[in-house]
Amino acid sequence: MTAKICEKSWKSTVNGIRRLSVLLLLTILFAGTAAAEVEVTPNTLNESVTVGEDYSYRFTVSNKDENNSVRNVTLQETEWLNWSQTSFSINESSSTTVNASIQVSEPGQFNESLTASYQARNTTDGNESNSTGEWVNREDSAVDVFLDSSWPSTDVEVDVFQSSYEMQFGESDNSVIAVQNNGNSTARNVTLSGEDIRFSESEVDIPAGDDKIF
């Protein structure tokens, strides 16, 4: 009976040491990676946009660290998105506001996750001031962008010069159709279709205020 009690006590001691070791290891890991983090809000942009139009959105970039500043903050740009500031620093527990300008050149869907890269001070103690530690390069997820772009809408009017025919089976006849663009934007890829009708052209662009004869 005595031996069993000793064995149980020994096992409990070993398990306690193992838990303590794991706890100490986690503490060391967390302490060794105490670097500032940058957060961008809003972190999602989901918009329907028009080709050729300029759009501007405001974002807040925050340094979540209470003791260390971040420097050389750079937000990822694309062919259709640009930021008002290309590189800047943020003090401890502070934030800055930047604008994103968007202009797309073709219709379609754009889905991309942009990142924020910066330099943060990596310290061995999260309570140390920014005069200690070393600067390390960091990269965090910044903004998930979802854009659905389309051509601008316009007002098109169709006028058929002749719409009534008398023909024998196998015969054909001709007519003229005028398409007038009365809107303020170019009408793109204008296509006419009809049963038993063949048109002289297809998928043409008609500038604002102009017309096209088919």
Side-chain angles (χ1 to χ4, degrees):
M1 179 65 69
T2 304
K4 289 183 179 180
I5 294 176
C6 292
E7 181 181 356
K8 183 177 180 181
S9 176
W10 176 78
K11 287 182 179 179
S12 299
T13 304
V14 171
N15 290 335
I17 293 175
R18 285 177 180 171
R19 293 195 199 97
L20 182 60
S21 299
V22 172
L23 185 60
L24 289 174
L25 178 60
L26 290 175
T27 303
I28 292 172
L29 286 176
F30 285 127
T33 57
E37 292 185 2
V38 164
E39 181 180 274
V40 181
T41 52
N43 59 5
T44 301
L45 179 64
N46 192 342
E47 294 290 337
S48 295
V49 298
T50 301
V51 174
E53 295 288 339
D54 291 316
Y55 297 88
S56 181
Y57 302 93
R58 178 171 293 184
F59 292 82
T60 300
V61 185
S62 303
N63 176 9
K64 309 304 292 184
D65 196 298
E66 299 179 355
N67 305 295
N68 299 286
S69 63
V70 293
R71 63 184 185 183
N72 297 329
V73 179
T74 303
L75 300 174
Q76 181 184 352
E77 294 187 327
T78 69
E79 293 181 356
W80 38 268
L81 183 147
N82 294 282
W83 299 96
S84 58
Q85 297 186 60
T86 56
S87 184
F88 51 92
S89 298
I90 310 177
N91 294 328
E92 309 90 85
S93 298
S94 299
S95 61
T96 186
T97 300
V98 294
N99 290 329
S101 60
I102 292 178
Q103 185 184 72
V104 296
S105 59
E106 59 184 14
Q109 292 184 333
F110 299 82
N111 183 353
E112 190 164 349
S113 295
L114 308 180
T115 59
S117 58
Y118 55 96
Q119 286 182 309
R121 191 172 292 280
N122 191 25
T123 63
T124 57
D125 186 345
N127 295 322
E128 292 184 16
S129 67
N130 58 11
S131 61
T132 62
E134 60 177 351
W135 290 102
V136 294
N137 295 324
R138 295 285 299 269
E139 187 175 277
D140 289 337
S141 175
V143 183
D144 292 326
V145 180
F146 305 91
L147 297 180
D148 187 5
S149 66
S150 59
W151 294 116
S153 60
T154 189
D155 182 19
V156 173
E157 180 182 355
V158 179
D159 187 11
V160 181
F161 285 17
Q162 181 181 348
S163 59
S164 179
Y165 305 88
E166 290 186 8
M167 293 178 291
Q168 298 295 323
F169 181 78
E171 292 182 343
S172 62
D173 204 341
N174 297 307
S175 183
V176 174
I177 298 178
V179 179
Q180 174 73 37
N181 184 359
N182 298 321
N184 298 320
S185 302
T186 298
R188 301 183 182 275
N189 300 325
V190 176
T191 302
L192 300 177
S193 63
E195 187 177 358
D196 298 326
I197 303 175
R198 184 176 62 206
F199 295 91
S200 57
E201 292 182 83
S202 182
E203 297 183 355
V204 299
D205 294 345
I206 305 177
D210 285 359
D211 59 36
K212 176 69 178 177
I213 301 298
F214 295 87

